[in-house]
Amino acid sequence: MTTIRLHNSKTRQKEIFEPIDPQNVRMYVCGPTVYDRAHIGNARPVIVFDTLYRLLRHVYGAEHVTYVRNFTDVDDKINATALSRKEAGADGSLEQLVQERSDETIAWYLKDMGALGAMQPSAMPRATEFIAPMVAMIEDLIAKGHAYAAEGHVLFAVDSYQAYGALSGRSVDDMIAGSRVEVAPYKRNPMDFVLWKPSSDALPGWDSPWGRGRPGWHIECSAMADEILMKDLPADQKSFDIHGGGNDLQFPHHENEIAQSCCANPEGNFANYWVHNEMLQVEGKKMSKSLGNFFTVRDLLDQGVPGEVIRFVFLSTHYGKPMDWTAQKAAEAEATLRKWRALCAGADPVGPDQAVVDALAEDLNTAGALTRLHAMAKEIAANPQKDCFYEKGAFLASAQLLGLLSAALGDWAEQADVDLSALAERLAQARDAAMQSKDFSEVDRLKSALLGAGVEVRMSKAGVELLAGPQFDAAKLEDL
């Protein structure tokens, strides 16, 4: 069996992945707060952990892997949108409008992530569906002396958990100095965090022993992971395999999850491996609305950037390194994917190349896996006369292990049905003449016009090939 190695944020080193039960490999990843469209940075953990999910399914069998990714649908921004709609005269109660907004944004999210080739997880729980388990966990933490009620709130007592800060490697003093800590008179310690807070009559809320209110953010994931992945396990086995998310969640969210979960289930480990992806930049700068480089996944899709291209760009950088989205990378990815799709047209997957599997197994080295795919493609293209059915099938299966070259994502690569042979011959003649005269101005002019019309230009010793892409515009070629 393939050995998987992952960088474990918990131990700060790369470790061999040894599942608790190879017949029941379990992974939990923090999902989105569904108040609006997912921006491009939100897509990185989706693609990273979708790729890990595919690898785990390949190694252990699809039926032996459970992947949970939640939706946080308890949020002030969701409430604000619902309130504004109600004030504008929308039908329904506030709770119904909150539900409507959550349904709307979840549908957007799943559609946009599906366009990137992401498989849907085994379970996608909503926080609002697990209020009762959250209340039960909070009651248990109070009973064990790890939480306390104060002025309608319930707070986790950080001092009660000696290992607090181990994941992020920070002391409590450092955390206070380096973070925005909410100062409140009812807190015993500035770092104590909210498990339950009161709701006004104008906001959604649930009944609880501490009054009508709603859960804090951190308790949601602890309760959902416990309920879905560990519910029926004995106390000394209350653990699962992998917990993932962006490294911006390491503190305070994941730190707080560990504290409350390990205090609720002191004989378990909660999660054995913690995997965090780095953040995303755009053209070398931090993405922000003030810089004008903030955009959603839907913005890119609507601009004609194929979801498969977005995925390819993301996979080109190791998940543990900052990733830079650039237009040039997108253009290069699109050209590569077009060639790869043409190369394996008509082939059926026959099992991935072991070198690709090994690259992914080495801490999700997606860049290394793509390098191997480039080498395979080059070898197949260099031997067109060879009966390479198997090689093409292995290439296709290897790409699909990365979530690429699936039939579902291929519509964008279909070529327009247009005859460009005359223009190809004309460009070839111009190139031949330029090789003699050393004046390539006419070649450059023709090539520029073709590219501007959405034509892919392939020039090699064998000749000139022109392919009309999805953005092909015949009108732009009239002058030629």
Side-chain angles (χ1 to χ4, degrees):
M1 179 180 286
T2 299
T3 298
I4 298 175
R5 287 160 55 88
L6 296 172
H7 184 272
N8 189 352
S9 301
K10 188 176 181 179
T11 60
R12 296 170 182 76
Q13 62 185 7
K14 197 182 294 184
E15 300 177 352
I16 293 176
F17 173 64
E18 297 179 346
I20 298 167
D21 178 3
Q23 299 298 308
N24 183 24
V25 181
R26 290 160 290 154
M27 177 169 69
Y28 185 97
V29 176
C30 292
T33 301
V34 286
Y35 60 86
D36 207 343
R37 289 278 189 185
H39 62 69
I40 188 172
N42 299 142
R44 193 174 195 197
V46 173
I47 292 173
V48 167
F49 292 102
D50 176 71
T51 306
L52 179 54
Y53 182 39
R54 291 170 182 271
L55 175 64
L56 293 171
R57 286 163 59 94
H58 174 75
V59 173
Y60 294 99
E63 68 278 14
H64 300 305
V65 181
T66 301
Y67 171 23
V68 180
R69 186 185 67 214
N70 73 293
F71 289 114
T72 293
D73 57 348
V74 181
D75 181 74
D76 290 338
K77 292 181 180 179
I78 300 173
N79 295 341
T81 299
L83 281 168
S84 65
R85 289 181 175 181
K86 187 169 182 62
E87 291 169 357
D91 293 332
S93 66
L94 179 61
E95 286 76 10
Q96 289 172 328
L97 293 174
V98 166
Q99 175 81 26
E100 181 182 283
R101 178 59 172 173
S102 298
D103 290 346
E104 178 180 57
T105 49
I106 288 172
W108 289 346
Y109 183 85
L110 293 177
K111 183 175 182 181
D112 292 349
M113 297 307 112
L116 305 183
M119 301 171 63
Q120 290 198 4
S122 314
M124 295 183 287
R126 300 188 187 197
T128 52
E129 298 170 341
F130 289 81
I131 300 297
M134 294 177 205
V135 170
M137 181 174 279
I138 295 170
E139 288 182 302
D140 183 52
L141 288 169
I142 292 174
K144 290 176 178 174
H146 296 293
Y148 58 94
E151 298 183 24
H153 295 74
V154 180
L155 297 109
F156 182 86
V158 168
D159 290 341
S160 73
Y161 182 58
Q162 295 304 309
Y164 191 77
L167 179 68
S168 58
R170 308 181 191 186
S171 69
V172 173
D173 289 341
D174 290 340
M175 287 185 260
I176 292 174
S179 65
R180 297 177 181 176
V181 176
E182 181 187 357
V183 177
Y186 47 78
K187 284 188 176 185
R188 297 176 184 172
N189 182 314
M191 287 304 299
D192 291 351
F193 56 88
V194 172
L195 301 175
W196 188 266
K197 55 188 173 182
S199 286
S200 69
D201 293 339
L203 291 173
W206 293 265
D207 292 332
S208 80
W210 318 285
R212 186 173 180 276
R214 50 196 172 123
W217 175 33
H218 312 299
I219 196 68
E220 295 177 10
C221 288
S222 285
M224 286 186 279
D226 185 87
E227 191 76 4
I228 298 173
L229 296 177
M230 303 181 289
K231 183 177 181 180
D232 298 324
L233 296 176
D236 61 344
Q237 296 178 27
K238 287 276 190 175
S239 308
F240 60 94
D241 298 299
I242 300 170
H243 196 312
N247 69 352
D248 58 325
L249 299 180
Q250 194 170 36
F251 177 81
H253 186 50
H254 290 165
E255 198 76 74
N256 292 351
E257 275 191 71
I258 290 173
Q260 60 204 11
S261 295
C262 287
C263 287
N265 300 299
E267 296 181 60
N269 296 323
F270 190 42
N272 286 348
Y273 299 83
W274 288 82
V275 181
H276 292 95
N277 65 273
E278 258 287 356
M279 296 295 100
L280 174 142
Q281 297 178 322
V282 175
E283 303 290 349
K285 298 179 180 179
K286 182 179 179 180
M287 186 172 65
S288 71
K289 292 181 179 179
S290 61
L291 293 176
N293 64 352
F294 179 96
F295 45 89
T296 67
V297 172
R298 178 50 50 183
D299 290 334
L300 285 179
L301 295 172
D302 289 346
Q303 290 166 17
V305 180
E308 188 175 23
V309 169
I310 298 171
R311 186 183 186 97
F312 188 103
V313 173
F314 278 40
L315 294 173
S316 299
T317 301
H318 187 268
Y319 77 89
K321 296 179 180 179
M323 198 209 90
D324 191 19
W325 171 271
T326 69
Q328 180 179 349
K329 287 182 180 179
E332 292 170 352
E334 180 171 342
T336 296
L337 287 167
R338 285 188 183 281
K339 292 176 184 176
W340 287 3
R341 282 191 169 274
L343 191 67
C344 60
D348 294 316
V350 296
D353 178 74
Q354 189 59 42
V356 172
V357 176
D358 290 343
L360 292 180
E362 187 57 34
D363 196 26
L364 279 190
N365 183 6
T366 53
L370 290 177
T371 297
R372 173 57 182 159
L373 285 174
H374 279 293
M376 293 175 71
K378 184 177 181 180
E379 183 177 344
I380 294 170
N383 297 282
Q385 74 285 354
K386 180 182 176 183
D387 181 10
C388 56
F389 171 79
Y390 177 80
E391 286 83 352
K392 287 185 178 181
F395 175 80
L396 180 58
S398 301
Q400 290 181 348
L401 183 59
L402 286 161
L404 302 170
L405 304 191
S406 69
L409 294 181
D411 290 349
W412 69 271
E414 293 180 0
Q415 308 297 335
D417 186 14
V418 57
D419 183 5
L420 298 172
S421 58
L423 286 172
E425 177 63 25
R426 183 174 167 186
L427 181 56
Q429 292 174 354
R431 184 180 65 167
D432 291 342
M435 295 294 289
Q436 299 297 321
S437 67
K438 306 304 180 186
D439 179 5
F440 286 85
S441 58
E442 177 63 8
V443 173
D444 292 339
R445 186 186 75 84
L446 289 172
K447 187 176 178 181
S448 178
L450 289 163
L451 292 172
V455 177
E456 182 182 348
V457 180
R458 299 180 182 176
M459 302 175 71
S460 66
K461 292 181 180 179
V464 173
E465 183 181 11
L466 302 181
L467 299 172
Q471 307 299 319
F472 175 69
D473 186 351
K476 293 183 178 180
L477 295 178
E478 291 180 356
D479 291 342
L480 296 181

